[in-house]
Amino acid sequence: GIYKSSGTDNKTWVLKFGGGEAPNGIDPNNFSQNNNIIFSATTGTSGGNGGIVKSIDQGETWTNVLSTSAASGFIVDVEFVDDSLYFINSKGNFYVSNASSINNNILRYNFTTAGFVDCVYSNTYKIFVAVSDNSGVYISNNKGVSWIRYTIPGVTDYRKVSIIKNKIFVATTTGLYVSSLWIEWK
């Protein structure tokens, strides 16, 4: 479930959404925030449904804004960019939708993965960087319309990606790799 800390020492945690077994059980994967609006990608537990949940009061209450299942592909990552919501599901589909009304989702790309997929957006460099299971690292400078694929020699299993300052960090089953961002992406 989703828990929120309180108090000045942040030692008290209160369940705010989900928890327990299906159909209420969820596994939050990723959070994205713009001002007081928070989105979380969720997968169901024990066969329950997942999707995207939204809070407009700093995590006090949550509303399900998009439901998914294992058959359609659980949402594994969500990024809030400008007024749009970008998200990837477990089938490797990368979507864009209006953040205020998540019902007209446009498929931008398919990473054709059957396993791990992760994505991050850099506001500084205006790029998405994604990793897709056994296919590599992808970079898009046009909000996911097109992607350039890179591979790391000797790596066959990509798991997580992060951008810190001007570096891309890629976690794999063989180790952690880092690369500097190129100036042309800025």
Side-chain angles (χ1 to χ4, degrees), residues 41-114:
T42 64
T43 58
T45 58
S46 301
N49 289 334
I52 296 177
V53 294
K54 174 182 177 181
S55 173
I56 59 172
D57 56 9
Q58 298 178 344
E60 283 299 315
T61 60
W62 293 86
T63 304
N64 188 359
V65 293
L66 179 67
S67 291
T68 61
S69 66
S72 63
F74 287 124
I75 307 298
V76 295
D77 205 311
V78 61
E79 299 292 333
F80 193 11
V81 180
D82 301 325
D83 289 331
S84 297
L85 201 62
Y86 297 83
F87 51 96
I88 295 178
N89 70 12
S90 56
K91 305 275 185 188
N93 294 319
F94 181 82
Y95 294 95
V96 61
S97 182
N98 184 307
S100 62
S101 176
I102 305 170
N103 58 11
N104 188 19
N105 305 322
I106 299 168
L107 178 63
R108 283 265 171 103
Y109 194 80
N110 180 273
F111 292 99
T112 61
T113 187

Side-chain angles (χ1 to χ4, degrees), residues 145-181:
V145 173
S146 62
W147 297 79
I148 298 172
R149 179 178 170 250
Y150 298 91
T151 58
I152 300 170
V155 173
T156 58
D157 203 349
Y158 302 82
R159 297 296 175 107
K160 292 286 186 181
V161 64
S162 186
I163 298 174
I164 301 172
K165 296 191 180 185
N166 67 338
K167 301 202 182 299
I168 298 172
F169 291 83
V170 178
T172 73
T173 56
T174 58
L176 179 65
Y177 294 84
V178 63
S179 177
S180 294
L181 283 169

Side-chain angles (χ1 to χ4, degrees), residues 34-49:
N34 186 349
N35 296 321
N36 288 331
I37 300 172
I38 306 169
F39 289 93
S40 177
T42 64
T43 58
T45 58
S46 301
N49 289 334

